[in-house]
Amino acid sequence: MAHRKKSKEAALCCEQTIRVRFSEVDSMQVVWHGEYMRYFEDGREEFGRRYRGLGYDDIARSGFLAPVVDATLQFKRPLRMNDEAVIETRYIDSEAAKICFEYTIRRSSDGEISATGTTMQVFVDQNYELCLLQPEFFSEWRNRWIK
Amino acid sequence: MAHRKKSKEAALCCEQTIRVRFSEVDSMQVVWHGEYMRYFEDGREEFGRRYRGLGYDDIARSGFLAPVVDATLQFKRPLRMNDEAVIETRYIDSEAAKICFEYTIRRSSDGEISATGTTMQVFVDQNYELCLLQPEFFSEWRNRWIK
Amino acid sequence: MAHRKKSKEAALCCEQTIRVRFSEVDSMQVVWHGEYMRYFEDGREEFGRRYRGLGYDDIARSGFLAPVVDATLQFKRPLRMNDEAVIETRYIDSEAAKICFEYTIRRSSDGEISATGTTMQVFVDQNYELCLLQPEFFSEWRNRWIK
Amino acid sequence: MAHRKKSKEAALCCEQTIRVRFSEVDSMQVVWHGEYMRYFEDGREEFGRRYRGLGYDDIARSGFLAPVVDATLQFKRPLRMNDEAVIETRYIDSEAAKICFEYTIRRSSDGEISATGTTMQVFVDQNYELCLLQPEFFSEWRNRWIK
């Protein structure tokens, strides 16, 4: 993924505790692997609330959308019914017109890693045309939180 | 539910075959009960294609939305991994400004009823204000298919 | 629904606060109606934690399953992206071999009711055979919490 | 991904047509990106039916599970309400104790690629212990279809 600026952005990270729901567990008695895309999104939404200005609402109000264009997931250990887990969401800064996150999901009971992953989002305008440059609202967000 | 007009609407019915997906099966090895709301919606969408003019797209193009305001579900026998089932969707006509359906889901292998249910939709405009009278496009749809 | 014993069971109620997730919102910009089945289940799971002994795990350990056999949902006002809501789950006691709940979901910001509903669960054994009498663990649970 | 044997396995590929469901579309009016994990799974299940012996059921009957341990997704163009799409699922053979697939999802109307991706599954026994060697049933499956 993107080259990292080893400065302030190390701090751009948030944690959120979730509990496995019955409907997320599959017939193998573990959380269905597809649910982790939702956990990652939960992490991003929490990040957007913690670091004001990068939530779906904020982006939409600025006239843009930020669809996920790339995702990777590595599953280490299954989560099971009633498990609690912590979603750690880390922002990876770059000069490009995109938003990159890394995720680590750990089982609360013992801290063991359940899954890791990444997502990359780009900016599109209301006509779904790709933005090649960082939208102004995003530059301002970076100025506020990164630089 | 609504009083039925015992005329032409008996014919307003469609069937759709679906196959249980792995992600729909819960840890009890049966289709999670919440998935049936999706099956009912699959049935309504198929109905909208079969009886042109009542799909989500058609309704939206006419300037309305038709949110579900009431649903009932009765679960008779579980569906399991790889089962095929038939969703039967029956339109229940009424003079009111609403759309009512009844559903029967049968396992294909033996015709046994897996679940039954009903939904009622009302019409709201773009401001989410309730329509007390049938929108014109819906009256026309009824003229075309019912009367 | 079941005749209510107007005694202690009025107290058998729990509340849980949830926040609408992006993936729960449909193209009409409101929570997809099918998600409320999940909210109800969230409520039941919280209830099972609050009133020890009635969670999926407890039931399974006792050698039974408690599938939902009937559900009703009434949708009053839509929930939207980022809304917080409170799921109130009320146990409705009966002498029959079933578990009945009523639900009320309120938007946190103004207390307005978003949806109400009911579920009924029966007991089946490991062969999915219906239990006509209350399983012993359930009688004990009722003795502990109701009587 | 794995080195490919350029022999018979080029043929190990299947296609499945799906139609976007209302509940899969998010508030940006496009299929929610997490749904593609389900589309990939739909593709694998179809593959398991086409090339007998590699379905979830077959694997379970042999005493194993094959959880997904790695997944990648690249999103190219959004799918929208009522779009039809074709899921192409290609088996990528290897001597290791794993099952690898590549996926391409194309919009039916114009053949444009909507998304691509990969999954890797490993074998675990009933105690969720990793199998370092290919289970016998899988060697036999490969003998039948690949060699």
Side-chain angles (χ1 to χ4, degrees), chain D residues 83-136:
Chain D
D83 276 350
E84 268 195 9
V86 175
I87 307 167
E88 184 190 306
T89 304
R90 294 180 303 283
Y91 173 80
I92 308 300
D93 192 46
S94 111
E95 298 292 327
K98 58 189 186 187
I99 313 177
C100 295
F101 287 107
E102 289 179 359
Y103 310 87
T104 304
I105 298 180
R106 286 188 177 78
R107 192 164 49 193
S108 297
S109 60
D110 57 8
E112 290 274 19
I113 292 177
S114 173
T116 57
T118 61
T119 56
M120 185 170 77
Q121 294 164 270
V122 293
F123 297 100
V124 297
D125 63 21
Q126 301 293 3
N127 301 318
Y128 239 85
E129 292 291 322
L130 182 69
C131 304
L132 299 179
L133 300 177
Q134 292 186 345
E136 194 175 318

Side-chain angles (χ1 to χ4, degrees), chain B residues 8-19:
Chain B
K8 220 170 103 185
E9 96 278 11
L12 290 200
C13 178
C14 76
E15 295 198 345
Q16 183 179 19
T17 300
I18 54 119
R19 183 194 294 270

Side-chain angles (χ1 to χ4, degrees), chain B:
Chain B
M1 295 217 44
H3 296 288
R4 303 188 192 186
K5 287 180 53 201
K6 291 292 174 199
S7 57
K8 220 170 103 185
E9 96 278 11
L12 290 200
C13 178
C14 76
E15 295 198 345
Q16 183 179 19
T17 300
I18 54 119
R19 183 194 294 270
V20 170
R21 300 156 106 182
F22 178 79
S23 60
E24 294 170 348
V25 174
D26 67 22
S27 63
M28 299 197 287
Q29 314 295 329
V30 300
V31 170
W32 181 61
H33 66 281
E35 297 292 342
Y36 288 79
M37 291 287 264
R38 217 181 293 270
Y39 292 166
F40 289 179
E41 189 163 79
D42 289 345
R44 283 198 304 282
E45 291 180 21
E46 181 65 19
F47 185 93
R49 281 188 290 272
R50 168 77 181 78
Y51 297 98
R52 278 280 165 212
L54 208 58
Y56 274 107
D57 283 5
D58 305 304
I59 297 173
R61 258 194 305 272
S62 304
F64 297 94
L65 299 170
V68 172
V69 293
D70 190 279
T72 70
L73 304 96
Q74 300 84 40
F75 302 96
K76 307 297 187 184
R77 278 178 198 80
L79 290 174
R80 295 169 187 278
M81 184 66 195
N82 282 327
D83 275 351
E84 268 194 11
V86 175
I87 306 166
E88 183 190 306
T89 304
R90 295 180 303 281
Y91 173 80
I92 309 299
D93 193 46
S94 112
E95 298 293 328
K98 58 189 185 186
I99 314 177
C100 295
F101 287 108
E102 288 179 358
Y103 310 87
T104 304
I105 298 181
R106 285 189 178 79
R107 192 164 48 192
S108 298
S109 60
D110 56 9
E112 290 274 21
I113 293 178
S114 172
T116 58
T118 61
T119 57
M120 184 171 76
Q121 294 165 269
V122 294
F123 297 99
V124 298
D125 64 19
Q126 302 292 4
N127 301 319
Y128 241 84
E129 291 293 321
L130 183 69
C131 304
L132 299 178
L133 300 177
Q134 291 188 347
E136 195 175 317
F137 89 94
F138 182 56
S139 299
E140 286 169 6
W141 180 87
R142 288 182 67 230
N143 283 337
R144 192 155 68 250
W145 291 108
I146 311 279
K147 291 173 180 173

